[in-house]
Amino acid sequence: MPPASLTADGSVSHTTPVHPPLGEQAITVALPADFTAFCQLHHEVYQRFAQHLLADHDTASDAVQRALGDLAASWIQALAGDHTTAIAWEALTHRIRRARTPASALYALIPAAEADAAVLHRIIGLSITTTADTLGTEATTITSLLTTFDRRLAAEKATALRACRRAATHRCPVHIGRRSGAPRGLPQATTA
């Protein structure tokens, strides 16, 4: 199988021409097939997560593309590690946080891993297993993060976090309900 690359719309291109200044020879960038497969597998979730937090399709697409570009630049090293998906997730969340959106308030209230797990599972609707795979961790870790999140919401002094959850209830297209009496949901973006 020849090397391929992921295009801006998420489709696969076998080569990507880079157009140099007039009079110079064109450069073709070829990416490994395993990188392209990784991108195809994770692109939709990355895009949904980014769009949820950034609330703008173009900004979200740019963040995902740049994060995957960052990953491509260190793909061999990422494959050599134990948690390629965790490295990719870090590249994505780094790009999203650089965008400086109102979602930053959420990350000021709770640890990033907890917020990421809650957004992926509670808002986007991924299963515990898929959330764990996306974050490059174990399902038990995700369950623990979600339990901690539920406890934080239930705490008497969690007014700001509960306000963020209420805002998500009105903005998010995914149903946010109750399970075992614990609130479900996270804010899309709100300031504290």
Side-chain angles (χ1 to χ4, degrees), residues 149-184:
F149 176 74
D150 289 342
R151 284 188 192 131
R152 286 182 200 280
L153 279 178
E156 205 171 298
K157 295 181 180 183
T159 307
L161 189 56
R162 283 194 298 273
C164 289
R165 185 193 62 81
R166 280 192 302 276
T169 302
H170 300 292
R171 294 183 196 176
C172 183
V174 177
H175 171 70
I176 301 173
R178 292 185 169 269
R179 179 181 48 147
S180 305
R184 291 180 50 142

Side-chain angles (χ1 to χ4, degrees), residues 68-186:
L68 291 176
D70 295 344
L71 181 62
S74 61
W75 182 244
I76 300 302
Q77 293 86 354
L79 282 179
D82 291 336
H83 299 287
T84 305
T85 54
I87 293 167
W89 186 257
E90 180 59 34
L92 176 65
T93 57
H94 175 73
R95 287 289 178 176
I96 289 171
R97 288 188 193 110
R98 286 180 63 185
R100 307 298 288 165
T101 67
S104 302
L106 172 64
Y107 287 86
L109 295 173
I110 60 177
E114 193 176 311
D116 291 346
V119 169
L120 289 171
H121 180 67
R122 300 275 169 75
I123 300 296
I124 294 176
L126 300 182
S127 69
I128 297 282
T129 303
T130 304
T131 300
D133 290 343
T134 300
L135 296 179
T137 190
E138 302 296 323
T140 54
T141 301
I142 299 303
T143 301
S144 176
L145 289 168
L146 294 170
T147 299
T148 302
F149 176 74
D150 289 342
R151 284 188 192 131
R152 286 182 200 280
L153 279 178
E156 205 171 298
K157 295 181 180 183
T159 307
L161 189 56
R162 283 194 298 273
C164 289
R165 185 193 62 81
R166 280 192 302 276
T169 302
H170 300 292
R171 294 183 196 176
C172 183
V174 177
H175 171 70
I176 301 173
R178 292 185 169 269
R179 179 181 48 147
S180 305
R184 291 180 50 142
L186 259 185

Side-chain angles (χ1 to χ4, degrees), residues 34-56:
D34 53 358
F35 175 77
T36 301
F38 181 91
C39 291
Q40 288 176 320
L41 181 64
H42 296 283
H43 186 269
E44 181 182 347
V45 170
Y46 288 5
Q47 183 66 37
R48 289 172 62 197
F49 180 82
Q51 191 164 341
H52 185 79
L53 290 180
L54 299 174
D56 175 70

